[in-house]
Amino acid sequence: MTDSLSQGTAGAAAATGGDGFPSVAGGGTPSGAPDAAAAGATPGARDPEGRTPHGRDPEASAPGEPESEPGPRPVEAVEPPAMMPEPPVLVITGVVRDSLGVLLPRAVVTLAVPGEGGRQLAKTRSAADGVFSVTAPGRADYLLCASAPQLGEERLLLRLEDHSVEVEFRVPVPGAVAD
């Protein structure tokens, strides 16, 4: 049993044009462009790449003539490709305090994806003054959690769009009465 692909390949490889290149179905050149001579092209006609039907440059000297210097070739203006704007760097900054307003150093701040089992994207600790900073990977909804040893944790659901945000955590103190 022979498949059609191998039959088509064998048939195409067996037929060659007068120039030694394989013929293409419907006539033409190996690139698939129609043969200008077969299409009844007028003398001096050029293909889109500026060649004559036989692939010669029309400004080139004929065989036996001295070559002349080619003139400047026209250059088409090409617009540079449109640059995609880089996504903004989204930074979440803030401070961690307890419910009484005391700054909490070394609190653990975690950035996670909500609804995916809490997959963590970034983790940091607050500085001695309770300040922290974490970079989000892009625009999306995030779960931000701050936890302090022996106190507890607070969670925030954030939607980041086109700018950085600043948050303040108030980690509850067990047994303290909120104002």
Side-chain angles (χ1 to χ4, degrees):
M1 181 171 158
T2 313
D3 64 2
S4 60
L5 180 61
S6 62
Q7 287 177 347
T9 305
T16 59
D19 55 2
F21 288 108
S23 297
V24 178
T29 62
S31 66
D35 186 7
T42 57
R46 298 181 188 190
D47 69 4
E49 296 176 352
R51 296 180 304 226
T52 62
H54 299 288
R56 282 184 260 138
D57 184 357
E59 281 83 29
S61 309
E65 288 184 22
E67 288 193 26
S68 61
E69 280 192 41
R73 300 192 91 174
V75 177
E76 293 182 34
V78 177
E79 288 188 38
M83 297 299 290
M84 294 295 295
E86 288 190 32
V89 175
L90 302 173
V91 179
I92 303 166
T93 57
V95 65
V96 182
R97 301 175 187 269
D98 67 14
S99 58
L100 302 174
V102 176
L103 296 170
L104 296 177
R106 305 208 26 91
V108 177
V109 179
T110 307
L111 181 67
V113 176
E116 291 187 19
R119 183 172 58 102
Q120 291 185 5
L121 302 172
K123 190 174 189 177
T124 189
R125 287 191 174 267
S126 61
D129 58 358
V131 174
F132 71 91
S133 177
V134 65
T135 303
R139 299 176 181 127
D141 291 336
Y142 296 102
L143 180 62
L144 191 64
C145 178
S147 62
Q150 286 106 30
L151 291 180
E153 68 178 24
E154 184 180 22
R155 296 172 181 246
L156 297 174
L157 187 60
L158 300 174
R159 172 166 286 163
L160 296 182
E161 296 290 335
D162 294 328
H163 57 284
S164 297
V165 296
E166 192 170 310
V167 298
E168 181 176 346
F169 282 106
R170 292 286 185 145
V171 178
V173 175
V177 178
D179 294 335

